[in-house]
Amino acid sequence: MLVAADTISLLSHLECSRCHAPFEAGTAHTVSACCAAPLLARYELDAAPPRSVLAGREATMWRYRELLPLRDDAHRVSLGEGMTPILQLHNLAARYGLRSLQLKDEGQNPTGSFKARGLSMAVSMAKELSTAGCIIPTAGNAGVALAAYCAKAGLPATVVMPRHTPAAFQEECRWYGADLQLVDGLINDCAARVRELNAAGRLLDVSTLKEPYRIEGKKTMGYELAEQGGWRLPDVILYPAGGGTGLIGIWKALREMQAMGWLPADAKLPRMVAVQAQNCCPLVETLAGRQPNCQQYQGRPTIANGLAVPRPLGEALMLQVLAESNGTALAIGDEDMLTGMRELARLDGLFVAPEGAAVWMAARQLLTTGWLRPDEELLLLNTGSAQKYLDNVLGRAAH
């Protein structure tokens, strides 16, 4: 049966990402009870409408309503997130002899980052599942987004953030009325504090991939880049991967579109590149075989706060994306990120977050090694605005 109503979700069930055991979707979940692995939302894709239903729909991530988990639109918590522009970087492309260089600018989302997508979805689901409030460990942007969406929803929010996070992130959380807790260390130390604060389980823990719905908001980047590209995909997507939700989500979206016929089943999918910081690059180390996994990895702070995730829960899923897409992972140093920020600002007028600059510098490096070819279509993901990172970069990028 064809389902096209804007308020109907095709959500079928949740699935353990490791053993594929099914879980009922109508209650609050953390990781799977069987494998302690992330849960993924699965949909009745054979009942999906044709992509032509998108014509005339609202220009937000909610245009893909059937492929999102919220069952009742009365619980939707939205600030207008999604449908961020894909910009042509003609000047940078000309300087480096590239045929096609594009950037999807997630800094134009509410709260200034791609985190708006995931937290809009997670808070909407928290409201639908009647939770008492939300708690999150964050490197910065996710905490700001949670605070904003919980304010919109009328839910209490507790945000646990490294003490060295730039003041702009901290102050914005306070403006939204969140309970802000500062911790010495990185996001894994914040996660430990979240476990202490929420030992009774009263609040919904929306840590990266510890609940199944943030990824569903993030995956809409994949739907958008396909639709905005006229249902043609770039050859390569470069993505800054800390916790990895966006990388995993984009790939999930591409696979869903293939299954629905929105993309040809034999469509050539992009090679995915995960970009990390040299100060904190657990995925790179695991992929290179220098460690069995990230569980004992020790990271250090970086100017790209969102990349300071030393032990990502989604490591196995990120590695799976890289394997399936014939992709790769590499790390970029802080000084190179500053160089990338300068180039993007001075040549194409974009003031991107250090994470966004990292993906451009990764592209430069991969062009030098020959892994990328100048005639390929490259898409960069900038995940946020540089405005909030000024504490990190002032005095370092003036020349």
Side-chain angles (χ1 to χ4, degrees), residues 42-337:
R42 298 304 185 196
Y43 298 84
E44 298 288 350
L45 297 178
D46 58 351
R51 68 193 190 196
S52 59
V53 300
L54 300 173
R57 286 191 178 180
E58 63 183 295
T60 73
M61 74 175 194
W62 294 93
R63 66 194 283 106
Y64 310 109
R65 185 66 184 84
E66 294 87 353
L67 291 314
L68 298 175
L70 192 71
R71 298 194 187 277
D72 186 348
D73 271 343
H75 301 130
R76 184 192 300 191
V77 184
S78 175
L79 294 169
E81 53 290 327
M83 265 299 154
T84 54
I86 294 179
L87 306 173
Q88 301 292 331
L89 305 186
H90 293 301
N91 296 331
L92 271 179
R95 171 167 287 192
Y96 288 90
L98 304 176
R99 180 171 70 88
S100 176
L101 181 63
Q102 299 177 310
L103 180 143
K104 188 163 176 62
D105 190 8
E106 289 292 291
Q108 297 193 37
N109 272 304
T111 72
S113 86
F114 70 144
K115 300 292 187 181
R117 296 176 186 267
L119 274 304
S120 170
M121 186 59 61
V123 173
S124 295
M125 292 303 297
K127 190 174 178 182
E128 182 157 273
L129 298 173
S130 301
T131 57
C134 298
I135 188 168
I136 193 170
T138 178
N141 276 315
V144 170
L146 179 73
Y149 284 95
C150 278
K152 176 77 171 178
L155 291 173
T158 300
V159 176
V160 186
M161 185 181 288
R163 196 177 305 278
H164 64 260
T165 306
F169 294 100
Q170 300 182 30
E171 289 306 314
E172 193 169 355
C173 288
R174 294 188 178 105
W175 275 99
Y176 292 129
D179 173 16
L180 179 65
Q181 305 271 331
L182 299 178
V183 170
D184 294 318
L186 297 179
I187 195 169
N188 55 305
D189 302 295
C190 295
R193 180 63 175 148
V194 163
R195 290 192 292 272
E196 293 173 6
L197 292 171
N198 198 38
R202 190 179 67 86
L203 302 176
L204 180 65
D205 183 348
V206 291
S207 303
T208 300
L209 293 171
K210 285 190 177 178
E211 55 77 49
Y213 300 119
R214 278 178 67 181
I215 190 173
E216 295 304 292
K218 291 280 193 69
K219 81 177 182 185
T220 58
M221 289 184 287
Y223 279 93
E224 286 176 23
L225 65 88
E227 184 182 2
Q228 289 171 308
W231 306 104
R232 286 184 63 258
L233 299 171
D235 294 307
V236 181
I237 296 174
L238 295 100
Y239 192 91
T245 315
L247 181 83
I248 301 160
I250 289 172
W251 194 250
K252 184 175 189 286
L254 299 181
R255 291 299 199 192
E256 288 174 353
M257 285 186 282
Q258 280 187 314
M260 294 186 295
W262 288 19
L263 291 172
D266 60 351
K268 183 182 177 183
L269 299 185
R271 307 199 310 278
M272 303 294 289
V273 178
V275 182
Q276 299 198 304
Q278 282 184 356
N279 283 358
C280 194
C281 55
L283 185 69
V284 173
E285 293 298 295
T286 300
L287 187 65
R290 290 187 285 268
Q291 61 183 16
N293 55 55
C294 66
Q295 294 310 305
Q296 302 302 318
Y297 184 84
Q298 298 294 322
R300 292 176 290 136
T302 166
I303 62 169
N305 295 85
L307 298 182
V309 184
R311 298 168 195 170
L313 180 63
E315 181 184 55
L317 287 169
M318 285 192 278
L319 291 170
Q320 181 180 335
V321 170
L322 298 183
E324 290 182 8
S325 71
N326 295 311
T328 191
L330 69 164
I332 300 298
D334 283 7
E335 291 302 319
D336 281 342
M337 292 183 209

Side-chain angles (χ1 to χ4, degrees), residues 331-388:
I332 300 298
D334 283 7
E335 291 302 319
D336 281 342
M337 292 183 209
L338 293 169
T339 297
M341 290 178 72
R342 280 195 295 272
E343 281 199 318
L344 284 157
R346 295 179 183 182
L347 289 180
D348 274 293
L350 294 173
F351 194 36
V352 303
E355 293 88 342
V359 297
W360 164 237
M361 297 305 289
R364 281 183 49 180
Q365 189 175 128
L366 291 171
L367 285 162
T368 299
T369 64
W371 195 91
L372 290 179
R373 300 191 315 272
D375 65 335
E376 292 186 295
E377 294 184 4
L378 312 182
L379 180 76
L380 314 177
L381 261 295
N382 171 48
T383 49
S385 167
Q387 296 290 342
K388 297 176 187 178

